[in-house]
Amino acid sequence: MENKPLELSLLRSFSPLDGLKSENLHALARKAALRELQLDRTLFKEGDDDKRTIYLVSGVLELLQNGETVAILRGGTPEARNPIAPTMPRRYTAVVASDRIEYLSIDSDLLDVMLTWDQTGSYEVGELDSSGQTSDISDDWMTTLLQTKAFHKVPPANIQAIFMRMQRVDFKTGQSVIKQGDEGDFFYVIVKGKCQVTRETPLNKEGVKLAELGMGDTFGEEALISDAKRNANVTMLTDGTLMRLGKEDFKTLLNEPTLEYADYAQAKMLIERGAVWLDVRLPSEFESQHLDGGMNIPLYFMRLKLKTIDRKLAYVAYCDTGRRSSAAAYILSERGFTAYVLRGGLQAMQRNGNK
C-alpha cells in the first residue's frame, strides 16, 4: 500500500480536520497517509485497537458486527465526513465492498494532541510576542515537540498552562544559552536555529562536543528535575529563537494540575444533581455525536465565552479522549469555576458499554 501525497483540500473535507488552522493542517498532512485497499480486503476487524483515525475517501465499505452487515458507507457522502468506527476497541469489521477504496489514515494520538495544540498552543505563542513577529517561525517545531519524550512527560491538561508561561527569547550566533556549572533556571525548546552542546573536562577546557540540536529539540530539564548544576554548555551555532519555561513552572507542570475527574457513573450523578455536560470539541464533532442536554463550547472559544458561562453551575467537560476537556477544565478551574473532566472521554464511556 503506497502512500500518496495529500492535498489540504482533501483533509478539509473531513471532520474535525476542517477546524484546524492552516499551519497545523500543513503539519498534519506530513504525518498522514492516503492509501488504497482492494475488493474483499479487510480494513480493520472488530476488537482491533490500532489507534488509527480512518476516513473513507472513495469507494464503498461494508461494516459488520458479529458477522452481520450493519451499515454501508460510501466515500464522498455526509456520513463519510466523520472517522470510521472511531471507538476503541473497534466495534465493527470493515470490508471493502467495491473494486477498491481510498482511505486516509492518521495516528489517533497525534491527531488528538494536534487538535488540543491547535486550540491552545498556537494561540498562546502568538500572544507571547507582543511585537506580533511570529511569522518567521516554522510550525514544524510544534509537531516535532509533540512527539518528543520530554514533552510527553507533561500531562495533557498542562498544555494550556505551559504556553501561558513560556517566553520567547532570540539569540545570536555564538551566544551562550547554558553554562556548565550554573544553577538550572529554564527548560528550553528550539523554535528556530541550531545549538551545540559541549562539556568541559579536566583535560579539555575547550569542551568536548556532545551533540548538535535543531528545531523541536529540547534541553535543560535534567538540572531542573534533579536540582543539580548544569552539566554542559549550550551555545548557538546560528541565530535562533528559543521558547523557555521557568524552573518552578516546569516542576509544577510535570505534575497533574488540580483537576477533578469523574468516570461516567460519577459524571451522571453530577448531571442529575444539576451539573451540565460541556462538550469542548468542534461544532462538527458535536453535531455528529454528543451527550443529551449538554452545551458545546469549543476549546479555542473557552476564554472568549467565560463571561457567558453561569458560575453557579458545575460543568463536566468532555471530548473524545479527555485531552482537550482536561485543558478546558484547567482554564475553568483556574478562573474559579467548578469543573470536572469525564475520565477517558467518550471513547472510555463507549468502551465500557455506556451510551
Side-chain angles (χ1 to χ4, degrees):
M1 293 185 293
E2 185 178 345
N3 293 354
K4 295 184 176 182
L6 290 174
E7 298 287 339
L8 294 189
S9 58
L10 174 62
L11 294 179
R12 287 195 180 98
S13 66
F14 297 107
S15 171
L17 309 186
D18 55 352
L20 286 171
K21 297 182 181 72
S22 181
E23 62 268 25
N24 290 330
L25 197 63
H26 273 282
L28 188 65
R30 291 189 286 272
K31 304 294 182 181
L34 181 61
R35 296 173 175 168
E36 290 186 0
L37 201 60
Q38 305 303 314
L39 178 66
D40 292 332
R41 295 289 300 277
T42 299
L43 180 58
F44 53 76
K45 294 181 179 179
E46 192 172 344
D48 282 354
D49 192 7
D50 50 5
K51 293 190 176 179
R52 291 181 302 151
T53 298
I54 299 176
Y55 296 93
L56 180 61
V57 176
S58 66
V60 182
L61 268 180
E62 184 178 8
L63 299 182
L64 302 100
Q65 192 172 52
N66 298 321
E68 296 186 4
T69 301
V70 294
I72 299 293
L73 189 63
R74 290 177 170 81
T77 62
E79 291 75 20
R81 288 192 69 250
N82 300 304
I84 306 167
T87 303
M88 297 293 167
R90 302 282 186 191
R91 299 168 66 181
Y92 308 102
T93 295
V95 178
V96 180
S98 56
D99 288 342
R100 67 181 180 88
I101 65 165
E102 287 185 307
Y103 68 95
L104 189 63
S105 178
I106 305 172
D107 179 272
S108 297
D109 286 336
L110 175 62
L111 175 58
D112 192 50
V113 174
M114 183 64 78
L115 284 164
T116 305
W117 182 282
D118 188 87
Q119 296 172 33
T120 56
S122 50
Y123 172 79
E124 293 300 340
V125 170
E127 273 195 334
L128 292 172
D129 184 12
S130 58
S131 67
Q133 297 176 351
T134 57
S135 59
D136 61 331
I137 298 179
S138 168
D139 64 277
D140 272 350
W141 75 277
M142 300 180 182
T143 309
T144 305
L145 180 61
L146 290 174
Q147 298 173 79
T148 61
K149 291 182 180 179
F151 193 84
H152 281 177
K153 294 177 183 176
V154 180
N158 296 30
I159 293 175
Q160 177 70 27
I162 285 172
F163 283 92
M164 288 174 66
R165 291 165 172 80
M166 268 189 157
Q167 303 169 329
R168 171 180 169 165
V169 187
D170 294 320
F171 289 88
K172 296 295 184 182
T173 302
Q175 190 172 352
S176 174
V177 181
I178 284 178
K179 291 183 179 180
Q180 186 172 334
D182 283 356
E183 296 288 342
D185 50 3
F186 291 101
F187 166 72
Y188 291 91
V189 182
I190 301 176
V191 172
K192 182 183 178 184
K194 293 183 178 180
C195 299
Q196 179 172 271
V197 184
T198 59
R199 181 179 294 151
E200 297 175 17
T201 70
L203 299 178
N204 192 333
K205 292 298 182 183
E206 294 297 317
V208 177
K209 182 178 176 180
L210 301 179
E212 190 172 302
L213 306 176
M215 180 185 62
D217 287 330
T218 62
F219 59 90
E221 67 268 26
E222 289 183 14
L224 303 188
I225 295 170
S226 61
D227 280 323
K229 304 280 188 182
R230 296 293 193 188
N231 59 11
N233 298 303
V234 179
T235 308
M236 297 301 299
L237 287 175
T238 66
D239 290 354
T241 300
L242 308 181
M243 299 295 287
R244 69 183 188 184
L245 185 67
K247 178 178 181 178
E248 293 307 314
D249 285 331
F250 179 81
K251 283 187 168 184
T252 301
L253 294 169
L254 275 176
N255 299 313
E256 189 72 28
T258 306
L259 286 179
E260 296 285 345
Y261 286 86
D263 59 26
Y264 180 70
Q266 294 167 330
K268 198 172 179 182
M269 290 178 62
L270 290 168
I271 299 299
E272 290 171 354
R273 294 172 186 167
V276 177
W277 289 118
L278 177 59
D279 190 318
V280 302
R281 301 173 302 161
L282 297 173
S284 58
E285 296 175 277
F286 179 78
E287 290 170 9
S288 173
Q289 177 196 22
H290 62 265
L291 299 176
D292 291 340
M295 58 192 298
N296 176 218
I297 302 179
L299 177 57
Y300 63 86
F301 275 150
M302 194 60 63
R303 280 191 201 80
L304 299 175
K305 296 291 186 179
L306 286 174
K307 292 182 180 179
T308 68
I309 302 174
D310 191 343
R311 288 182 175 270
K312 297 176 184 177
L313 298 176
Y315 298 89
V316 181
Y318 72 89
C319 61
D320 288 325
T321 64
R323 182 175 272 115
R324 281 180 279 172
S325 50
S326 61
Y330 185 86
I331 296 171
L332 292 172
S333 60
E334 270 214 326
R335 288 157 178 78
F337 289 84
T338 301
Y340 301 84
V341 181
L342 179 62
R343 191 183 301 277
L346 292 176
Q347 290 187 7
M349 188 189 81
Q350 292 165 344
R351 204 161 39 234
N352 295 326
N354 299 305
K355 303 297 183 182

